[in-house]
Structures are given as structure tokens and as C-alpha cells.
């Protein structure tokens, strides 16, 4: 699917980088060893065949597996030339701790082919199947006599009694020391595992990410994909806004070094699209990192955790997050489906599991991810706990009616392999909030292992309204520390949120909601150009052109230079018939961005309305020069030439 040589070159660079055992050093030992094996295979295994050595069976497996532990060779008149290669197995890639590959010259000459115990069988190894067999024991009625033996059985007897027992064993099994049976599929399965060892050594997510993001990420970055862990939870704050809270843990965080400082700059881009693929929200954050050597020593054994959040209006969405290390050219990404509930209908959030919470944060003008007022939650990104930990479980329930507030029940159930181990019952009325629920559960009674926690909302009749589950693990090993970098947001009453929500409603096409939020943001911060321009976008759509001019002209008087400012004023002026003023604003917009056909066409219309036909023609011709594929403008110019 890569369509250019540049993309192919970049992908090949990444292919080798993913396999480099010592990233960051000038040498790539894996690549060097790979090409050394190819060179050896070409010299050793291509003789007597029309192929280069790397294309032969022995060459392929030498390149994949390297030098065997040892090799047995058979040049016996009773069998075709045979080599048996012995290897130690890696449990990550094959089930066998020790295995062998048998190669033979079929019919006694040509290339050494890989022998398949299931498909080839011992008969393909011997030279004369019809030779006189040595004596066969015939005392039992259940044993076959010599003339009843099938070809593989006859060949196996020849191998055992005329050549070697080890070769006979290898003819029926790829597993030394394991008694094999003719027709056994285990060896066939092993060959399949061995064939795919190179695929298992490297997670191929990087290739998918390269293909998906090469057009989004700057080209030089798209060849450095790294993996990640992440967590995404929706939390409603006291103002009623829903926030998307997330944690991103990249597999590695690389730093550059200069003048006794370790540094990098991290860029996080978030894009949220609706079910039709339309962008509803997009945002970008930069996180500069600078550490002294002693600080790095403290943090180097901890995993880097980025915490952030943003508000989102009700709807069903897909969130795409792109994280870039701007210095070391690494990136990773996350895609997550998100659903924000509408109105006040009854709804339960997902569960947030944490090893730590702070219940009494000092008052601050900033807020962070997973924070509600004085409560700060520190979620576990992978839901792993130690036996001595307490599990802090947080959830929200929206839209509780009076009866559920008074008589509702929360049931916390802990199970392992579908067997319930512990159940905790709490009345809704026991909590200080009818929306936010935090429960602390000691884990000391649970043994190390994997568990499921299920939280259910029940009414007084015991009927379940909602349930949410989450899996977690308890381990005995120490859990590495985390290095948390939490982005800060304005306090809940800041007009920033009305602005963000208003733009999201505008992008969704919900104009009345957009107007309400953006009018509020502008009223509380009338000197913010971004707020004023977004409010003007709604007013232009609602055809309140005079109001657009009222809110934007003060920015012109303050000598602000902004393309959107001049374009919006030009549009509003044109719509109310102030064509000369519109031309002035349009020209200032063009001065900032160059020739744009949309604006040139609008200017031409203004000139025409003012009776300046020649100026209108010149402006439209300039538009046509910029984009010659405008059939309507071509016809307009032709008609004007004929008429005037």
C-alpha cells in the first residue's frame, strides 16, 4: 500500500530500527548478523542448484534461526544424503525446548529440501525400498508380516536396522527424545511455528501505525513508532460538563543531552470525530521536559505517565490521540470509542480503579485529569495491584431519581473464574454525594491472581438497573513507580469551557446551543479574539451580520492582524450591502494569506455591485488564474464580456 519510493525507504529504515538490540548506537547488530547469514548461505548452500543459497531451504532456515547447535550428516548407501540440524528452542516462539530440522536430497541429488515428517514420510529417505528386509519378529498374531507393511513402515525398519536409530527417530519426529508415531501432526505444527519465528520476534503494530499515520505525522517522525498503554474514562464535573480523562504511558521516553541537561519536548494532538467522520474537537498540547542528571537518576526506573483531560458535548465519537517526541522522532497513538450521555437520563459511568487517592486537595486555580473538587484520583493504567494495597474504586451515576437516592443500592462483587469471592452492599444514601461514589476495598484477603469486580445499581426490589465490570490483577512482585506529568486546565468557572463547548456544538451543527455557549464565553472575555471569531461564525450562519461587525470591529481598531477577522468582517459587510467596506476587509485578508479564490470571487461580486465592471472582471480573472477549474466563473466572465 506504500505508493512512493520515499515511503518504502522510510519503512525499510523502520523495519531494521524495530529489530535493533541496541537502539541509539551507530551499529544495528541484528541487521549486520542478518546480512552475514545471507552471505554465508550464498557461499555454502547454493552449490549444485540453480538458486542462490539464501533461496534454498537450508539457506532460509539458517537465516531465520542462525547456526545450529550441531549437525549430523548421513552419506549411507541405504539413504539419500541427509543433514539433521539441532536447535535449542525459545519458549517465546516455539513450544519445544529442543528440536531438529532434517534436510535431504530427494532422489539422491539436487537441492537439500526440508523434510516434513507428516507429508514426506520415511519412504522418501531410503534409496531402495524393495531391498530385502532384515528379519522381522512375527511371533504375535497382532504384528504385521513383512509383505503387509506399508512403504513408510518398511522404510522405517531399514533406517533403524541398516543406518541408525537416531535417523529413524528423526524421520518420524522433530522432537529428540520424544517417541514419534507415523502420521503424528506435532512435527507439522512445530515446522509452522519455526517458519513464523521472525514474525513473533517483533510486534508488527509499528507497520500498521506507519501506514495509518505517515500522512498525518511529519514524515521524519513516521518511522519511529513505539507502543503504549492507556486509560480513558469519562467524568462529569460539578458544573455538569463531561470531561474525557486519559492517561498515556509510552513504552519508552527518550531524552537528548546538552550542557548537563536531559531534555525533550512532547506534543500531544487529540482529534474527536462523530459517527460520520466530521471533526468535532481538536486540540494540541506541548510538554517540555528538562532534567538534571540527579533528577534523571531518580526517575529513570519509573514509567512516564501523561495525564490530561478535555470537555466534550453529548454524542457518540471516536477519539484519536497522537503523541510525539519532537526531539527523538518517536510517536505513538491511541484510538478509542467514546459515548457522552445526553440530558438527565439514568446512566452509570465506567469504573476507575486506583492505588491512591487524595481527598483534600488545597484550593487551586487549576484543575487536572481525574480530579473532582478536592478529590484527586491516581488510576492504575493496567489495573495491577499488590496484596497489601487498598483498591480505590470510583464511579459516577447520573440522573438518579428520588426513589433511587433514598432506597437505591450499590453492590460490589469480586469474582475469580466466575466464582464469587466477596460481595459488599452499600446504600446510596450512605454516600455524601448522589453522583460520585468512591469505595476503598483492602485486598489483603485475596490471593495473587486475576479478578473481576462488578458494580451494580439495584432498586429496593432488587432489580438491577445498570452494571459495570473491570478486571484487575494482584501480584507479589514490586510494582515499578510512575513519573506523572499532569497537564493543567482552567478552573471549572472559566469561560474557556463555554468557548470549547460552543465550538463543538457549532461543529455538530447545533446552532442554538453553540450561540448560547459562545455568547456566554464572549460576554465574560470580550477581548479574546478566538472567542469573538467563533461567536461571529455562529452569527454569520444565523445571518446576524450587524452583530458580527459590532463584536469584531474593536479588534481592527486595536490593530489586530488576523485572516479570520478580516474575512468575517468582509463577509458581514457584503451581506448588508456595504460593498466598499467589504472589499477593504477582503483585501486585508488576501494580504495575509495570498490569492484565495473564495475571497477573490466575493471581491469581484462587490466590485460588480458597485458598478465597477472592469475591476470585477480583473478580479475574477485573477481567481481563474489561481484555480482554472471554475466553470461558473468562466461563464460569468464570458457573459460580462458579451454584455459590456
Amino acid at each position: 500500500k506504500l505508493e512512493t519510493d520515499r515511503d518504502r525507504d522510510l519503512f525499510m529504515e523502520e523495519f531494521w530500527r524495530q529489530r535493533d538490540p541496541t537502539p541509539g548506537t551507530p551499529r544495528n547488530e541484528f541487521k549486520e548478523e542478518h546480512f552475514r547469514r545471507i552471505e554465508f548461505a550464498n557461499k555454502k548452500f547454493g552449490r549444485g542448484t540453480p538458486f542462490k543459497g539464501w533461496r534454498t531451504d537450508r539457506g532460509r532456515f539458517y537465516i531465520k534461526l542462525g547456526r545450529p547447535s550441531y549437525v549430523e550428516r548421513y552419506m549411507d548407501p541405504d539413504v539419500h544424503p541427509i543433514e539433521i540440524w539441532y536447535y535449542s528452542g525459545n519458549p517465546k516462539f516455539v513450544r519445544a525446548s529442543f528440536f531438529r530440522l532434517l534436510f535431504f536430497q530427494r532422489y539422491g541429488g539436487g537441492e537439500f529440501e526440508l523434510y516434513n515428517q507428516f507429508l514426506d514420510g520415511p519412504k522418501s529417505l531410503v534409496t531402495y525400498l524393495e531391498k530385502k528386509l532384515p528379519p522381522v519378529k512375527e511371533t504375535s498374531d497382532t504384528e504385521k508380516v513383512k509383505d503387509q507393511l506399508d512403504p513408510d513402515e518398511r522404510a522405517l525398519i531399514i533406517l533403524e536396522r541398516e543406518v541408525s536409530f537416531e535417523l529413524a527417530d528423526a524421520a518420524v519426529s522433530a522432537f529428540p527424545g520424544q517417541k514419534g508415531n507415523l502420521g503424528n501432526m506435532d512435527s507439522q505444527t512445530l515446522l509452522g511455528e519455526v517458519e513464523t519465528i521472525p514474525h513473533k520476534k517483533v510486534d508488527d503494530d509499528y507497520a500498521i501505525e506507519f501506514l495509518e499515520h505517515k500522512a498525518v505525522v511529519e514524515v521524519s517522525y513516521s518511522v519511529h513508532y513505539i507502543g503504549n498503554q492507556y486509560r480513558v474514562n469519562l467524568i462529569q464535573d460539578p458544573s455538569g460538563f463531561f470531561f474525557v480523562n486519559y492517561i498515556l504511558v509510552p513504552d519508552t521516553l527518550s531524552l537528548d543531552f546538552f550542557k548537563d541537561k536531559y531534555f525533550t519536548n512532547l506534543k500531544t494532538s487529540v482529534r474527536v470525530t462523530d459517527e460520520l467522520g466530521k471533526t468535532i474537537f481538536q486540540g494540541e498540547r506541548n510538554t517540555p521536559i528538562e532534567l538534571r542528571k540527579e533528577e534523571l537518576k531518580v526517575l529513570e526506573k519509573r514509567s512516564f505517565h501523561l495525564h490530561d483531560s478535555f470537555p466534550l458535548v453529548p454524542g457518540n465519537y471516536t477519539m484519536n490521540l497522537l503523541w510525539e517526541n519532537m526531539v527523538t522522532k518517536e510517536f505513538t497513538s491511541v484510538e478509542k470509542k467514546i459515548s457522552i450521555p445526553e440530558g438527565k437520563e439514568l446512566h452509570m459511568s465506567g469504573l476507575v480503579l486506583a492505588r491512591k487517592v487524595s481527598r483534600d486537595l488545597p484550593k487551586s486555580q487549576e484543575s487536572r485529569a481525574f480530579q473532582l473538587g478536592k478529590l484527586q484520583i491516581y488510576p492504575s493504567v493496567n489495573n495491577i495491584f499488590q496484596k497489601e494495597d487498598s483498591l480505590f474504586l470510583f464511579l459516577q451515576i447520573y440522573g438518579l431519581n428520588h426513589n433511587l437516592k433514598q432506597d437505591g443500592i450499590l453492590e460490589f462483587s469480586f469474582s475469580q473464574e466466575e466464582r464469587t469471592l466477596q460481595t459488599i452492599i452499600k446504600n446510596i444514601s450512605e454516600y455524601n454525594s448522589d453522583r460520585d461514589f468512591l469505595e476503598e476495598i483492602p485486598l489483603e484477603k485475596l490471593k495473587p491472581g486475576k479478578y473481576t469486580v462488578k458494580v451494580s445499581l439495584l432498586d429496593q426490589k432488587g432489580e438491577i438497573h445498570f452494571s459495570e465490570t473491570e478486571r484487575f490483577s494482584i501480584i507479589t512482585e514490586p510494582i515499578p513507580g510512575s513519573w506523572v506529568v499532569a497537564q493543567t486546565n482552567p478552573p471549572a468557572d472559566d469561560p474557556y469551557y463555554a468557548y470549547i463547548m460552543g465550538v463543538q456544538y457549532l461543529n455538530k451543527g447545533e446552532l442554538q446551543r453553540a450561540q448560547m455557549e459562545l455568547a456566554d464565553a464572549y460576554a465574560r472575555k470580550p477581548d479574546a479574539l478566538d472567542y469573538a471569531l467563533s461567536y461571529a461564525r455562529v452569527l454569520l450562519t444565523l445571518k446576524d451580520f450587524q452583530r458580527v461587525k459590532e463584536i469584531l470591529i474593536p479588534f481592527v481598531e486595536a490593530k489586530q492582524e488576523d485572516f479570520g477577522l478580516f474575512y468575517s468582517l468582509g463577509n458581514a459587510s457584503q451581506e448588508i450591502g456595504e460593498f466598499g467596506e467589504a472589499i477593504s476587509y477582503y483585501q486585508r485578508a488576501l494580504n495575509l494569506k495570498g490569492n484565495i479564490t473564495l475571497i477573490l470571487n466575493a471581491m469581484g461580486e462587490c466590485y460588480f455591485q458597485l458598478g465597477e465592471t472592469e475591476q470585477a472582471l480583473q478580479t475574477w480573472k485573477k481567481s481563474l488564474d489561481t484555480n482554472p477549474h471554475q466553470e461558473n466563473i468562466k461563464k460569468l466572465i464570458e457573459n460580462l464580456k458579451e454584455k459590456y
Side-chain angles (χ1 to χ4, degrees):
K1 293 183 179 180
L2 300 179
E3 298 175 352
T4 69
D5 287 342
R6 172 65 173 156
D7 285 345
R8 296 182 191 104
D9 289 341
L10 289 171
F11 176 74
M12 286 188 283
E13 179 185 335
E14 176 65 359
F15 175 92
W16 292 117
R17 194 188 73 85
Q18 288 288 332
R19 291 157 174 79
D20 188 354
T22 56
T25 63
R27 293 181 59 197
N28 184 332
E29 294 82 357
F30 182 97
K31 184 177 180 180
E32 291 175 4
E33 171 64 11
H34 181 75
F35 284 104
R36 186 202 64 78
R37 292 182 187 181
I38 290 177
E39 184 179 6
F40 180 87
N42 285 338
K43 289 179 179 178
K44 187 79 173 174
F45 304 128
R47 299 170 188 167
T49 77
F51 308 113
K52 288 189 175 182
W54 68 268
R55 296 186 64 185
T56 66
D57 282 358
R58 287 186 300 173
R60 279 193 310 116
F61 282 95
Y62 182 85
I63 293 167
K64 289 185 179 189
L65 304 177
R67 187 185 300 276
S69 300
Y70 65 95
V71 177
E72 289 178 349
R73 294 182 175 87
Y74 293 90
M75 300 295 291
D76 190 283
D78 288 311
V79 294
H80 300 308
I82 291 170
E83 289 185 6
I84 304 178
W85 294 9
Y86 289 84
Y87 285 97
S88 296
N90 185 329
K92 291 182 180 179
F93 310 129
V94 293
R95 290 173 295 172
S97 58
F98 199 58
F99 66 91
R100 59 195 165 197
L101 301 177
L102 190 154
F103 301 93
F104 72 110
Q105 286 183 306
R106 197 182 297 273
Y107 312 122
E111 178 189 346
F112 275 80
E113 300 178 29
L114 177 68
Y115 172 78
N116 187 307
Q117 285 86 352
F118 184 74
L119 299 178
D120 292 318
K123 65 179 181 296
S124 61
L125 300 177
V126 300
T127 51
Y128 299 104
L129 195 57
E130 298 303 322
K131 73 174 287 182
K132 183 177 180 181
L133 292 176
V136 179
K137 184 178 180 181
E138 301 182 31
T139 56
S140 170
D141 293 337
T142 62
E143 291 186 12
K144 295 183 179 181
V145 295
K146 286 180 282 189
D147 59 357
Q148 294 177 315
L149 296 172
D150 68 28
D152 279 326
E153 291 171 319
R154 292 172 64 85
L156 198 58
I157 293 173
I158 293 171
L159 295 176
E160 286 178 348
R161 302 189 183 184
E162 297 291 309
V163 188
S164 84
F165 177 81
E166 289 77 11
L167 178 57
D169 187 54
V172 295
S173 175
F175 304 94
Q178 175 180 320
K179 185 174 178 59
N181 299 310
L182 285 169
N184 194 324
M185 285 291 291
D186 286 347
S187 297
Q188 175 85 350
T189 302
L190 174 74
L191 290 179
E193 291 178 343
V194 171
E195 286 275 12
T196 59
I197 282 176
H199 302 266
K200 298 171 184 173
K201 283 186 174 180
V202 178
D203 190 333
D204 61 9
D205 281 353
Y206 79 93
I208 305 302
E209 295 296 335
F210 177 91
L211 187 65
E212 291 294 323
H213 291 285
K214 65 184 178 64
V216 179
V217 187
E218 193 173 320
V219 171
S220 60
Y221 298 170
S222 63
V223 295
H224 296 292
Y225 171 75
I226 57 177
N228 69 72
Q229 292 181 300
Y230 70 92
R231 171 166 295 280
V232 179
N233 287 97
L234 302 176
I235 297 178
Q236 188 182 45
D237 82 344
S239 68
F241 290 147
F242 280 94
F243 280 76
V244 179
N245 296 259
Y246 68 83
I247 302 173
L248 180 71
V249 184
D251 285 353
T252 61
L253 177 63
S254 304
L255 304 174
D256 207 345
F257 178 76
F258 182 70
K259 290 186 178 179
D260 300 325
K261 294 282 183 68
Y262 294 85
F263 69 93
T264 190
N265 185 43
L266 310 176
K267 176 181 171 185
T268 310
S269 305
V270 175
R271 181 169 175 258
V272 177
T273 55
D274 65 12
E275 293 171 305
L276 299 177
K278 184 178 180 182
T279 298
I280 303 303
F281 169 78
Q282 55 187 6
E284 186 177 291
R285 294 264 207 172
N286 284 290
T287 309
I289 303 287
E290 187 175 291
L291 300 171
R292 295 188 299 275
K293 188 174 183 179
E294 55 270 24
E295 293 173 320
L296 182 64
K297 283 186 177 180
V298 173
L299 297 171
E300 62 184 355
K301 293 184 179 180
R302 302 183 182 187
S303 58
F304 175 82
H305 291 228
L306 178 67
H307 291 210
D308 205 353
S309 64
F310 59 89
L312 193 59
V313 298
N316 298 312
Y317 308 106
T318 300
M319 178 184 99
N320 285 280
L321 185 150
L322 186 64
W323 178 92
E324 301 170 75
N325 189 324
M326 308 294 282
V327 172
T328 60
K329 316 302 184 188
E330 296 168 324
F331 86 100
T332 192
S333 62
V334 169
E335 181 173 293
K336 177 75 173 176
K337 297 291 185 184
I338 296 172
S339 182
I340 308 289
E342 177 72 72
K344 296 182 179 180
E345 69 268 21
L346 186 63
H347 188 80
M348 179 186 285
S349 74
L351 308 181
V352 182
L353 308 188
R355 298 180 69 207
K356 174 186 173 184
V357 300
S358 296
R359 301 175 189 266
D360 195 20
L361 288 180
K363 188 174 181 180
S364 172
Q365 291 301 307
E366 298 174 335
S367 64
R368 291 174 173 80
F370 297 97
Q371 178 184 339
L372 286 104
K374 294 185 176 183
L375 175 66
Q376 177 69 64
I377 305 165
Y378 299 92
S380 169
V381 73
N382 51 15
N383 285 353
I384 294 178
F385 298 83
Q386 290 184 291
K387 189 176 177 64
E388 57 269 25
D389 286 337
S390 282
L391 186 154
F392 293 92
L393 195 158
F394 176 81
L395 71 145
Q396 292 185 317
I397 302 177
Y398 322 114
L400 282 172
N401 59 33
H402 176 74
N403 290 336
L404 286 173
K405 289 178 184 178
Q406 294 297 315
D407 303 315
I409 294 169
L410 281 181
E411 179 183 87
F412 301 83
S413 176
F414 292 81
S415 61
Q416 187 176 44
E417 296 178 350
E418 299 184 0
R419 182 168 60 94
T420 301
L421 304 176
Q422 180 181 0
T423 300
I424 300 170
I425 303 294
K426 295 289 290 283
N427 294 319
I428 296 286
S429 57
E430 294 180 55
Y431 293 91
N432 294 327
S433 169
D434 56 16
R435 185 196 60 191
D436 305 328
F437 302 92
L438 177 66
E439 197 67 35
E440 180 179 355
I441 301 153
L443 299 176
E444 56 190 11
K445 294 182 180 180
L446 298 178
K447 297 179 180 179
K450 296 181 178 180
Y451 296 88
T452 299
V453 58
K454 179 179 181 181
V455 181
S456 302
L457 171 65
L458 294 78
D459 60 22
Q460 60 181 347
K461 297 179 181 178
E463 180 182 344
I464 297 176
H465 289 263
F466 283 100
S467 292
E468 288 287 338
T469 61
E470 193 77 25
R471 295 178 189 216
F472 69 96
S473 299
I474 299 175
I475 62 174
T476 55
E477 300 83 6
I479 298 175
S482 56
W483 167 21
V484 176
V485 173
Q487 296 281 17
T488 58
N489 291 311
D493 59 351
D494 195 280
Y496 164 79
Y497 296 111
Y499 162 65
I500 292 293
M501 308 290 265
V503 171
Q504 292 177 11
Y505 281 125
L506 180 58
N507 291 336
K508 290 187 69 172
E510 298 183 24
L511 298 182
Q512 299 303 322
R513 284 184 166 185
Q515 182 184 23
M516 182 177 66
E517 297 290 351
L518 290 171
D520 178 46
Y522 169 73
R524 290 196 280 156
K525 201 171 183 180
D527 58 344
L529 180 58
D530 286 346
Y531 294 12
L533 284 175
S534 294
Y535 184 28
R537 278 180 61 198
V538 180
L539 296 173
L540 284 169
T541 306
L542 296 173
K543 302 186 183 305
D544 192 349
F545 305 116
Q546 196 60 50
R547 179 61 176 151
V548 171
K549 295 191 67 176
E550 289 174 7
I551 66 172
L552 294 185
I553 284 177
F555 294 97
V556 177
E557 293 172 345
K559 302 190 182 308
Q560 295 233 26
E561 296 287 321
D562 182 88
F563 173 81
L565 172 64
F566 297 133
Y567 174 68
S568 298
L569 280 169
N571 195 345
S573 299
Q574 181 180 2
E575 291 291 342
I576 59 180
E578 296 173 351
F579 301 115
E581 197 170 335
I583 291 170
S584 174
Y585 288 129
Y586 284 144
Q587 187 58 59
R588 294 178 73 173
L590 292 177
N591 291 342
L592 293 173
K593 290 278 188 176
N595 289 340
I596 296 174
T597 56
L598 180 68
I599 296 180
L600 288 170
N601 293 339
M603 284 179 67
E605 177 65 28
C606 290
Y607 280 122
F608 183 75
Q609 293 295 335
L610 290 171
E612 299 179 26
T613 307
E614 188 60 37
Q615 192 65 44
L617 280 169
Q618 289 181 13
T619 305
W620 282 326
K621 284 178 182 178
K622 188 182 291 185
S623 172
L624 206 55
D625 289 340
T626 304
N627 178 11
H629 306 293
Q630 300 183 81
E631 297 303 321
N632 58 327
I633 298 298
K634 287 180 183 178
K635 290 179 181 178
L636 184 60
I637 292 173
E638 290 170 3
N639 291 336
L640 280 177
K641 284 181 177 178
E642 291 175 4
K643 190 171 183 180
Y644 296 97

